[in-house]
Structure formats: structure tokens, C-alpha cells
Amino acid sequence: MTGTPSLNVVNLKTHFFIREGVVRAVDGVSFSVDQGEVLGIVGESGCGKSITARSILRLVPNPPGRTVDGRIEFEGKDLLELSESEMRKVRGNRISMIFQDPMTYLNPTMKVGDQITEVLRLHLDMNETQARARTLELFRDVNIPEPEGRLDNYPHEFSGGMRQRVMIAMALACEPGLLIADEPTTALDVTVQAQILDLLRRIRDDLNSAIILITHDLGVVAEICDKVVVMYAGQVVEQANVYDLFDEPKHPYTRGLLDSLPTPEHRVDQLKPIPGQPPDLLRIPKGCNFAPRCAYCMQKCIDEEPPFREVAPGHMSRCWLDSVTQTAVAAAE
Amino acid sequence: MEKLLEVAGLKKYFPIRKGSLFSRETKYVRAVDDVSFDIHKGEVLGLVGESGSGKTTTGRLLVRLLKATEGDIVFEGKDTQAMTDAQFRPLRRDMQFIFQDPYSSLNPRLTVAHAIAEPIRLHGVATGKEVEERVGDLMNTVGLNPRMASRYPHEFSGGQRQRIGIARALALNPKLIIADEPVSALDVSIQAQVLNLLHRLRDEFGLSYLFIAHDLNVVQHLCERIAVMYLGKLVEVADRESLYAEPLHPYTQALTSAIPVPNPRAKRDRVLLKGEIPSPVNPPSGCHFHPRCQFATEQCRQVVPTLKKVNATRSVACHLY
Ligand SMILES: Nc1ncnc2c1ncn2[C@@H]1O[C@H](COP(=O)(O)OP(=O)(O)OP(=O)(O)O)[C@@H](O)[C@H]1O
Ligand SMILES: Nc1ncnc2c1ncn2[C@@H]1O[C@H](COP(=O)(O)OP(=O)(O)OP(=O)(O)O)[C@@H](O)[C@H]1O
Ligand code: SF4
Ligand SMILES: [Mg+2]
Ligand SMILES: [Mg+2]
């Protein structure tokens, strides 16, 4: 059922303390995701998507990284308050993660089947036979052809798409309440991508899991997400349901992203890239993080940081523009 | 339109040794297996297809980064396969390759000016002060400020680095650019900068491109004709409008239906492909696509379909047509 919150992230701040200073990789991020809901997190490379995901699982390398503020509420607990051993029970069990590059997370010297049975025995206390039977079932669920013969293969004997399916099978082993997928299809072909997205949709529907999908592909977002969070330079700049986001993007950065997309409609005209580059996270500007690249930038944007506020029902944006227009409208009336 | 490049019956078989040391059996990866196509002057031909289908190998064969096993590559009427490396050398200037990865394709120890000047010096097209001027011009052309000439690659963003790669490729006034996934590694807003640039260069200099990509939205944006590759063979070649409006080959149908559309209201009629792309060492009999094709017949299992013209602007290799 949707409407039941699975994860609630409040004012999350994860910084890296390096010689040159403090990298504010995640700087006050808040969002929530319900059971049976797919939340998309989008944004330019380096804006803090992966560090947000890793912060939820408390997998940020420390040092130099540290979550310095915020709450991560999941199934009635604040994950930031748990001991490391309690957290280990959450990871890979109630919350699973799949990564862009499965090869980094699969053990190359271990048969893929064994890697999953190990998880099952560890978290669900299954014996060898039960675990093996369940692994076979999981392989079938993720559409690995001829699953019986495949259990005893090593990761390098699989194609990229199949390895990603093994990762997903492993992530599903304990029927997690929350699945975090960090760019799960970026390295794959569109036809394989379509198969994986189909699989994620089935997981949402059959297990009623909450899913966080990190991607920079707005096509993928439109395809599968119910709700979208747009990040820019360590902050959430816009949040809305998927229809509102594409129909009426509010934040100038989101509009810029949509205008950059090569779509059939954009073909004849030129594409409109966002000028400039994201700020150095060591030297975040004073006012709005997007101000130096924003076509609507006003003096207020340079002086003061815009608040994250509701600009339409259920539609949040971090921009002075809407409030200014609204104030102007109110004044005129 | 005049033909710039004509490719006929192109093959690249990579030998691999399988089994024990004593069996001495050599097998082959049929990376490119009898591929034919043309590129006209000023045309952008897109080459798409599943990972491992032979796109990069095809591109590398054209510029002789690899030697073909068989087939003809005719550039401006000259058969390049008959040429010695020395005879081919001047043609290297006319055909330039842009690499996918803007991070690893530039030497980190060379300044931007050096990187762009390198091909100019190597081919002796300019000397002394002229080189500097040419570098400045090229930087302007690709939208980089010439004042940044003394900086090193790590000081640039991905899109800027990709533009340095493009400036290098333009340095020798080529006629054909082979761009292998030039925007795949980039964010959409940076990707848009590079696509606009490629678009503009074509208009300004009448360049032709072979544009290799797997993002069909990008291909649709830039290419007027598109060739679709599957397991070493071209399965369909068509003009952009008809390919997207009415893909003929069942593989093209699956491919175009899998394109993620950035519109949550778009209706999706997806052809989900079963199974995996088979091995190019042991490709399936008959039509290479038949094990995954929902329309496969006995004929498809036995007879290899050839690329046939179905009308003036398109060809398809499928027994259904
Ligand atoms: N170990 C580290 N030390 C210092 N800075 C770091 C470290 N790890 C990450 N960062 C910085 O944190 C920021 C956020 O990184 P993150 O990996 O979350 O980006 P992302 O949004 O996932 O990008 P991408 O789309 O490229 O994966 C980046 O600017 C990065 O440079
Ligand atoms: N030097 C080589 N030796 C042996 N096999 C090779 C070699 N280079 C490429 N291949 C094989 O040839 C086939 C075609 O490879 P190629 O790189 O051309 O594919 P591609 O279409 O460019 O794929 P991608 O979209 O992943 O870049 C693949 O099966 C690949 O493994
Ligand atoms: S706050 Fe100002 S600078 Fe920032 S996005 Fe809105 S209009 Fe642009
Ligand atoms: Mg990331
Ligand atoms: Mg390639």
C-alpha cells in the first residue's frame, strides 16, 4: 500500500573533511519515500546523489567523510542512532543497495550462487538446501536464463546485464523494505535497461518495497518513478510527483535539465545547455547555489539562500523566483 | 549527393585460442561480419546497436586502427585496402577519430595547447607561430577560451575535455569524423553543449560523421540516416524519420521501443527482448537474431538474410520483408 512511509530523511548533512577544507557533498537534504513507491533522485555528476545513498546505509568512508547532522527514520528507528552491529542487521536485509558497477561488489573468486546463499544463511538463518532452493527461485525471478546451470558460474562468465541481475537477486534475497539502486542501468544497453526497469517495477508491485532510484537519465525517471527529487550542489532544489515535475518544472535548474534533453521536439532547434558549471563544493556561494548559472538570477538570489518551500500542492522548490512572483502577484491584487 | 566513403563486405575476425594448448583449434570472434554502407559528403550516419555488436570495431577499421580481415573501404573513390601504410598516411588527416572517454583519452601531462598542437606538428601542416594561431582558432571554434591554452586536462570539466578532443580531431581539417560514443559519459547539460557543437561544425565545415552511440534519443537528434547493428551485421539502414516512425527489423523494433522517453505520460508499447545477445564466436545459424525474435520461422533458423533495399531510403536484413 502506498501512503505508508518507509524512509524519512531529514536535513541530512554529510561532509568530507579534507586538507583543502570541507566538501559539503550533502548539505541539508530532506525527502521521504513510501512503501510501494519509486522515488527518483536526479542531478548532475557530483551533486551528491551517491553520497546521499551511502549516508542512508552509513557506508560513507570515514575519514574523510562524516554525517554531521540530520535524521534517517526507517521502520520507526533513526538509523544514525543505531550501533554498528544493529546497522549491520539492517544492511542487506531490510535495506539493500544495488550499484552501477556490479563487478566491484561481486566477489570474483566465488560462484554467484554461493554469494547469494551466503546472504540467505547469514540473514535468514536458512540451511544449505533451503538457501540453494531460494537462490534458484531468485534467479528465476530476475529472468536469468537456464538458472540451474548458472548458479555455479563465476561473475566474469556473465554479461553486464546478467551481473546486474545477480546483484538485484542478491538485493532481493531478504525481501527488503527499501531498495536503493544507484545508476543500476547506466552501463547497460537500452534493451537490457528495459528488462531491468521492468524487474524493478515488479519488485515494487509484488513486494511493496520502497525503491530509491538514482539516475541522471530523465527518460528513466519518467518511465518508472512516482516521485522525483532533483539535487544540485548537495541540496534538494525541487521535489514533486513525476507528472508535476515534467509538466511544470519550477526550479530553473530542473527547467535547464529538461531543455538540454535531445528529444524529437528539440531536434530542429538547437538544444539549450545550461551555461557554466556547478560550484566547487569546497566553496559554495553565499546565496542560491545555482545563481551563477541561472537565467533568472536577481540580487536577492546572490545575497540570500532561498528556502525550500511548497510552491504548489505537494510541489517543493528552492528558489526565490516563485515567492517573488507570488509576492508581486499578491501586491498587484 | 556525392559519396565520401563506401564500405563493402567489411569483416573483422579476431582469433582466439580456446581449449587446451594441444588442440590448436583457433576460433574467431566475428566482431564485424560482412558489413556494407556508404556515407555521403556532409552526412551524419548514426551507428547503433547492442553492446558488443561491433560498432567500435567498425569505426576502428575505417581509420586503420585495426586491419580488416576482408572487404573494401573506399574513401573519395580510392580503395584504401590496397594501400600500404605509407600510402594511407595522408588519408589519416582526412579521417579523424573522437573517443568516448574524455578523461582517459588526453595525456594528463600535456597542456591543452600541446594536445591540440600535437597532430598539427606531427603532420607538419604548420610551424612556429602558425601553430599557436591555429590552436587559438581551434579553441575558439569549439568554444574554449584560448586563454586557457596553458592549462592541463584535469582543470577542465568533462564537456570541456571532450571539446579539447574535438579540437584535436579538427586540427587537420578532416573530411570525416568517426565519433565513438562522444557524449555517453557526459551529463545532459554538457552533452547538449557537445551535440550543439558537432551540429554547428557540420554546417560550418561540411563535415561528415559516423556517429556511434547507444542513446537513440541522441542519435535521432543528430543523424539523418541510421544503421542498426546486431552481432556483427547490419540489420537495418534507414532515414531517421522512417526508422523511428516504423522500424522494420524486429531487433530495431525492440530497440526503439526500449528508448526511455522523458515524458511520464508517453504510452509505452514495449517489445521486451528475451535472453541475452549470443556469443559472436558461435553466432546462431540463419538470422543471428532468430533465437530472440518473436516472428522467427524455419527459414530464419536456416538461411542468413541479406540486407535488401525495400525502398529508396531504407534497407533491411530480415526474411519478413
Ligand atoms: N572521499 C571523498 N573525498 C572528498 N570529496 C568526496 C569524496 N567522495 C565524494 N566526494 C565529493 O562529494 C560530492 C558528491 O559525490 P557523489 O558521488 O555523491 O556524486 P553523484 O551525484 O553520485 O555523482 P555521479 O552522478 O557522478 O555519480 C562530489 O562532488 C565528490 O567530489
Ligand atoms: N581485440 C579484440 N580481440 C578479441 N575480441 C575483440 C577485440 N576487440 C573487440 N572484440 C570483440 O568484438 C565484439 C565487438 O566489439 P566492439 O567493441 O566493436 O562492440 P561495440 O558494438 O562497440 O560494443 P559497445 O557498445 O559495448 O562499445 C565483442 O564481442 C568484443 O568482445
Ligand atoms: S533562486 Fe534565483 S538564482 Fe536560484 S534558481 Fe531561483 S531564480 Fe535562479
Ligand atoms: Mg553517483
Ligand atoms: Mg564500442
Side-chain angles (χ1 to χ4, degrees):
Chain A
M1 229 198 62
T2 51
T4 316
S6 168
L7 176 82
N8 189 24
V9 174
V10 186
N11 193 32
L12 181 69
K13 292 190 182 174
T14 300
H15 296 169
F16 289 93
F17 300 86
I18 58 173
R19 201 161 33 92
E20 293 87 339
V22 180
V23 179
R24 299 165 173 271
V26 178
D27 206 22
V29 162
S30 303
F31 60 83
S32 69
V33 52
D34 290 345
Q35 291 174 16
E37 185 177 61
V38 182
L39 170 81
I41 302 185
V42 295
E44 237 155 306
S45 180
C47 71
K49 304 181 295 292
S50 297
I51 300 299
T52 300
R54 289 174 165 274
S55 302
I56 295 170
L57 282 166
R58 293 187 20 198
L59 287 175
V60 176
N62 175 9
R66 193 147 42 89
T67 294
V68 293
D69 199 3
R71 289 198 311 279
I72 300 172
E73 295 160 4
F74 177 73
E75 298 188 337
K77 285 170 288 216
D78 182 352
L79 297 183
L80 294 177
E81 307 271 286
L82 297 188
S83 69
E84 185 47 43
S85 74
E86 287 171 315
M87 195 59 212
R88 229 172 286 138
K89 289 194 196 111
V90 174
R91 252 182 246 132
N93 185 7
R94 295 307 304 146
I95 306 182
S96 296
M97 180 143 176
I98 47 188
F99 299 90
Q100 169 170 354
D101 176 15
M103 252 341 221
T104 335
Y105 297 90
L106 289 170
N107 181 343
T109 62
M110 196 172 166
K111 294 172 181 168
V112 290
D114 293 348
Q115 302 195 34
I116 299 183
T117 50
E118 196 185 64
V119 174
L120 290 165
R121 298 181 62 180
L122 191 77
H123 284 298
L124 299 183
D125 244 352
M126 288 187 179
N127 66 33
E128 178 67 40
T129 332
Q130 290 167 324
R132 199 144 166 107
R134 175 81 181 117
T135 303
L136 196 58
E137 216 173 272
L138 287 163
F139 267 37
R140 282 207 189 90
D141 284 348
V142 299
N143 296 332
I144 290 177
E146 302 158 47
E148 292 86 353
R150 289 303 201 157
L151 289 180
D152 292 326
N153 282 161
Y154 289 91
H156 72 265
E157 299 175 86
F158 278 20
S159 71
M162 286 231 279
R163 276 181 216 141
Q164 198 53 284
R165 270 176 266 179
V166 171
M167 277 292 288
I168 297 178
M170 195 181 298
L172 292 183
C174 306
E175 309 202 341
L178 172 66
L179 178 67
I180 305 177
D182 191 357
E183 311 260 8
T185 61
T186 305
L188 306 175
D189 288 283
V190 283
T191 58
V192 184
Q193 169 168 290
Q195 295 169 343
I196 301 284
L197 294 184
D198 195 52
L199 191 58
L200 290 179
R201 236 178 254 122
R202 269 177 33 217
I203 293 166
R204 172 192 63 188
D205 298 341
D206 297 352
L207 299 180
N208 198 33
S209 305
I211 298 179
I212 296 178
L213 179 69
I214 297 174
T215 176
H216 57 249
D217 187 335
L218 288 157
V220 169
V221 168
E223 192 103 340
I224 176 168
C225 296
D226 302 299
K227 205 160 84 180
V228 191
V229 156
V230 182
M231 284 187 70
Y232 186 80
Q235 295 183 321
V236 177
V237 295
E238 182 157 3
Q239 179 182 328
N241 79 49
V242 70
Y243 296 105
D244 292 344
L245 190 94
F246 281 86
D247 288 349
E248 266 183 79
K250 299 285 188 195
H251 197 281
Y253 174 64
T254 314
R255 289 188 218 166
L257 278 185
L258 290 168
D259 286 339
S260 308
L261 284 181
T263 63
E265 299 84 68
H266 283 156
R267 179 170 12 107
V268 204
D269 302 334
Q270 293 268 328
L271 304 172
K272 297 194 235 21
I274 306 171
Q277 285 171 46
D280 180 352
L281 296 180
L282 275 168
R283 287 171 208 84
I284 298 262
K286 186 167 71 172
C288 167
N289 286 353
F290 189 59
R293 304 173 73 186
C294 182
Y296 306 92
C297 179
M298 306 161 280
Q299 189 56 45
K300 191 177 175 74
C301 308
I302 297 166
D303 297 337
E304 274 176 75
E305 185 176 335
F308 191 51
R309 63 171 110 195
E310 193 162 26
V311 290
H315 198 146
M316 312 279 290
S317 173
R318 187 186 295 280
C319 171
W320 286 119
L321 204 58
D322 283 280
S323 64
V324 170
T325 0
Q326 275 152 20
T327 326
V329 170
E333 275 170 358
Chain B
M1 251 198 302
E2 214 178 322
K3 280 179 188 167
L4 180 67
L5 179 81
E6 299 167 72
V7 174
L10 190 65
K11 288 187 185 171
K12 179 67 190 180
Y13 289 5
F14 292 106
I16 45 163
R17 255 158 280 273
K18 264 253 161 109
S20 79
L21 196 64
F22 304 104
S23 71
R24 296 257 173 155
E25 180 198 16
T26 307
K27 291 194 171 182
Y28 293 94
V29 178
R30 303 182 190 192
V32 175
D33 197 9
D34 199 1
V35 161
S36 307
F37 62 89
D38 300 331
I39 299 179
H40 301 279
K41 285 217 165 106
E43 183 183 47
V44 183
L45 177 70
L47 183 59
V48 301
E50 211 137 323
S51 177
S53 58
K55 305 181 295 293
T56 297
T57 306
T58 302
R60 296 173 74 93
L61 288 171
L62 299 184
V63 292
R64 264 210 209 186
L65 285 170
L66 282 172
K67 273 240 161 68
T69 307
E70 227 180 281
D72 297 325
I73 300 171
V74 178
F75 186 77
E76 293 192 310
K78 296 185 285 273
D79 178 6
T80 67
Q81 290 313 89
M83 293 180 186
T84 62
D85 282 347
Q87 288 170 321
F88 186 76
R89 209 174 120 84
L91 264 68
R92 276 194 200 279
R93 290 171 51 171
D94 293 339
M95 291 191 253
Q96 291 290 322
F97 202 90
I98 300 177
F99 294 90
Q100 164 169 3
D101 186 358
Y103 298 93
S104 62
S105 56
L106 292 171
N107 181 340
R109 281 186 294 272
L110 288 189
T111 62
V112 175
H114 267 98
I116 300 175
E118 197 178 52
I120 302 175
R121 292 220 173 83
L122 215 65
H123 282 268
V125 262
T127 47
K129 196 89 187 123
E130 279 167 28
V131 178
E132 230 168 90
E133 269 170 37
R134 180 92 185 108
V135 168
D137 287 350
L138 285 163
M139 289 185 74
N140 274 323
T141 304
V142 299
L144 293 171
N145 190 331
R147 275 196 312 236
M148 303 197 281
S150 57
R151 298 204 192 157
Y152 289 88
H154 74 263
E155 298 174 70
F156 290 88
S157 72
Q160 287 175 322
R161 283 185 230 193
Q162 197 55 291
R163 280 183 273 171
I164 298 169
I166 294 172
R168 258 173 76 95
L170 290 176
L172 300 170
N173 292 321
K175 295 170 179 155
L176 175 66
I177 287 191
I178 293 151
D180 190 6
E181 313 253 11
V183 297
S184 306
L186 307 175
D187 279 319
V188 284
S189 75
I190 306 170
Q191 176 179 305
Q193 297 171 5
V194 176
L195 287 176
N196 280 347
L197 173 65
L198 292 175
H199 207 103
R200 182 167 61 82
L201 293 175
R202 194 195 70 153
D203 289 348
E204 268 175 36
F205 301 107
L207 286 177
S208 309
Y209 297 102
L210 178 68
F211 187 85
I212 301 173
H214 62 251
D215 183 332
L216 285 113
N217 288 322
V218 168
V219 169
Q220 182 173 23
H221 178 82
L222 198 70
C223 308
E224 50 264 304
R225 220 152 48 91
I226 294 153
V228 183
M229 205 160 177
Y230 186 81
L231 213 60
K233 290 184 182 297
L234 291 186
V235 295
E236 183 160 2
V237 182
D239 64 286
R240 160 172 60 200
E241 281 69 26
S242 21
L243 189 96
Y244 286 85
E246 196 207 347
L248 295 180
H249 196 282
Y251 174 65
T252 318
Q253 290 170 3
L255 197 62
T256 50
S257 82
I259 307 173
V261 190
N263 173 0
R265 293 181 208 282
K267 276 211 303 293
R268 287 166 235 277
D269 245 335
R270 184 136 296 163
V271 185
L272 274 187
L273 280 182
K274 300 171 295 206
E276 298 288 317
I277 189 166
S279 151
V281 179
N282 253 323
S285 62
C287 170
H288 286 358
F289 187 60
H290 88 254
R292 307 174 75 188
C293 180
Q294 49 177 332
F295 308 108
T297 62
E298 201 42 45
Q299 188 190 16
C300 307
R301 280 183 268 279
Q302 289 174 6
V303 186
V304 182
T306 53
L307 197 65
K308 286 187 295 270
K309 246 188 154 60
V310 287
N311 65 37
T313 59
R314 59 192 311 190
S315 325
V316 61
C318 169
H319 293 306
L320 292 174
Y321 303 94

